[in-house]
Amino acid sequence: MTALTRRSAMLAVAAVASLTAASLTALTPGAARAADPVKLEVGYIPILAAAPLFILEGEGWAREAGIDLKLTKFESGPHAIQAMAAGKIDLLYAGVAPVLVARSKGADVSVIANSAVEEMVVASRGEFAKALGGKATAESIAKFVADSGRKVKIGTQPPGSVPDTVLRHWLFKVVKADPANVEIISMGIEKTQQALLAGALDAATIREPTVTVTQKVDPNVGLLATGAEMFPNQPGTVIAVRGPVAKEHGEALTRLLKAHIRAVDQIAEDPARSAKVANEYLGKGLMEPATLEAAFRSPGSKFVADPHGVVPAVEQMMAYAKEIGSAEGTIPVAEAFDFRFYDAAAAK
C-alpha cells in the first residue's frame, strides 16, 4: 500500500468515526451537553443568612461543580416566592414561612436545605428603648403608649414572612401586648434599618449584619428580644427549589448543596475569610469586611445546613401562621421538605 493510499484510508476511517459520533450525538443529544454547566437562577434576600450562597459563588465552588449561577436580589421573602412560583427563578435563599405559605396555596416548591436559625431579633432605640429599659412587658408598652399618646411603631417585613410571623408571636404570645397599643409597619429590609436609625420607628425586627451595623452607627440601639426569646428554635432561612428544577437537575442540586455545606463549614472555621468573600456580594461599599466578620461571630449568627432538625419548629411556626391568618391552608410540613439532595450531598 502506497503512502498516499495509506493516508486516504486513515482519512476515511477518521471520517467514519466522526460521522458515527455525530450520529450518536443526534440520537442522544444530552451527551453533547454533558460538559456544559447547568444554569440556575437563584433568588436571595440580602441578609447574612444567605452568606453561604455568596461564599460558594465567590469561591468558585459552584463553577467547579459545573453550575452557572445567576443571582437575583429581593427585599422580602413573599416577593421572592411570588417570582419563584411564576417560574422566574429556580432556587431561593429566604425565610421558610413564605415558601410554605406558597406551597399551601398550590405552588410546586420544596425546601431542600437549611441555612440559618434564630436569625431575627427585636431592636429598639430612642424614647421607647429608654422607657422599656431593655425589657418589654405588656405593662411597660401600655405605659409608653399612655405617656406618649401614640401607638408603638414597629417595623418588619410583609405579612407571611418569617420576621412578621415571629414578631407577632413575640408581641402577642410571649409579651402578651395589647394589639391596640402596637402599629406594625411592613417594609423592605433595607428600609427597616433606615427607618429605625432615622427615628421613624420605635423598634424593628432585624438580623445580622443589620444588628452589628445599626449598633455601630448608634450604640444606643438595644435588643428587646433574641431569636430564641421571640420563637424558641426559631426557623430561619432555607433553600427552596421549584418542582420542575428538582426533577430535571437533581444531580446539579446535590453538587450545589455539597458546596453549600462546605460554605457553612467555612463560616464556622474561618469567619475572616468568609467575611471577605461574602462582603463582595452583601456589603461592598457599605461596610468593611471586619464588620461582616463581627456579624459572623455574633451570637445571633447560627448557620445550620441540615434541614432535618428544623421541621418541628417549622411545624409550630406554620400552626401559628394559620392562627393569625398568614397561611390559608394546612399542609404536613414534612412533605414540603425534600431531603434527598441534602442527604446525598452530606454523604459524599
Side-chain angles (χ1 to χ4, degrees):
M1 181 180 291
T2 66
L4 181 59
T5 303
R6 189 181 303 111
R7 182 171 181 275
S8 298
M10 292 176 64
L11 288 174
V13 171
V16 170
S18 178
L19 287 172
T20 301
S23 298
L24 290 173
T25 298
L27 290 172
T28 56
R33 298 191 298 268
D36 294 341
V38 174
K39 296 182 179 181
L40 296 174
E41 297 191 26
V42 185
Y44 70 91
I45 313 300
I47 55 176
L48 197 70
L53 171 63
F54 311 135
I55 292 170
L56 69 86
E57 174 68 355
E59 294 285 15
W61 299 338
R63 290 186 293 278
E64 289 177 8
I67 303 170
D68 182 7
L69 296 182
K70 177 183 178 183
L71 276 52
T72 302
K73 183 173 75 173
F74 293 88
E75 275 300 306
S76 73
H79 292 154
I81 197 63
Q82 288 172 12
M84 180 179 237
K88 295 180 180 179
I89 55 175
D90 300 315
L91 292 102
L92 176 64
Y93 276 69
V96 67
V99 175
L100 298 188
V101 168
R103 187 178 173 98
S104 72
K105 296 179 180 180
D108 186 7
V109 295
S110 298
V111 176
I112 59 173
N114 198 68
S115 191
V117 298
E118 294 188 355
E119 302 166 42
M120 301 306 309
V121 303
V122 181
S124 64
R125 69 184 302 276
E127 295 302 317
F128 182 63
K130 293 179 182 178
L132 268 62
K135 179 65 176 178
T137 63
E139 293 74 23
S140 63
I141 291 175
K143 185 177 186 305
F144 174 83
V145 171
D147 293 344
S148 65
R150 63 175 180 81
K151 295 182 178 182
V152 176
K153 295 182 179 181
I154 304 180
T156 190
Q157 276 68 75
S161 65
V162 170
D164 178 80
T165 303
V166 299
L167 171 64
R168 292 175 188 274
H169 182 272
W170 175 71
L171 278 172
F172 307 130
K173 289 290 188 179
V174 179
V175 177
K176 301 185 185 304
D178 184 344
N181 288 332
V182 180
E183 179 182 0
I184 297 177
I185 303 173
S186 298
M187 58 181 68
I189 292 174
E190 293 180 0
K191 289 184 178 179
T192 300
Q193 175 183 328
Q194 295 166 0
L196 180 65
L197 291 174
L201 298 172
D202 298 305
T205 56
I206 58 176
R207 48 192 151 189
E208 294 292 0
T210 303
V211 178
T212 297
V213 171
T214 54
Q215 289 185 321
K216 186 174 181 180
V217 174
D218 182 357
N220 293 319
V221 171
L223 299 185
L224 287 181
T226 64
E229 291 169 338
M230 293 179 74
F231 199 107
N233 298 314
Q234 179 194 124
T237 296
V238 298
I239 306 175
V241 65
R242 288 195 298 115
V245 176
K247 292 177 182 177
E248 184 177 356
H249 298 299
E251 291 185 4
L253 291 178
T254 296
R255 297 195 301 271
L256 182 66
L257 292 192
K258 186 175 182 180
H260 171 76
I261 294 170
R262 184 179 178 185
V264 169
D265 291 343
Q266 177 169 290
I267 291 172
E269 298 165 2
D270 193 348
R273 169 69 184 177
S274 300
K276 182 178 180 181
V277 177
N279 186 256
E280 292 294 313
Y281 299 83
L282 190 58
K284 189 174 183 180
L286 299 175
M287 70 180 82
E288 295 295 324
T291 301
L292 200 54
E293 181 183 348
F296 275 132
R297 296 180 184 277
S298 165
S301 295
K302 296 184 179 181
F303 289 88
V304 179
D306 191 343
H308 291 275
V310 303
V311 172
V314 173
E315 290 176 333
Q316 295 169 13
M317 188 172 70
M318 289 309 296
Y320 181 67
K322 183 188 176 187
E323 180 182 329
I324 63 177
S326 293
E328 296 178 0
T330 58
I331 58 169
V333 169
E335 292 182 8
F337 283 71
D338 188 341
F339 301 113
R340 293 175 299 159
F341 309 112
Y342 174 83
D343 291 344
K348 294 181 179 180

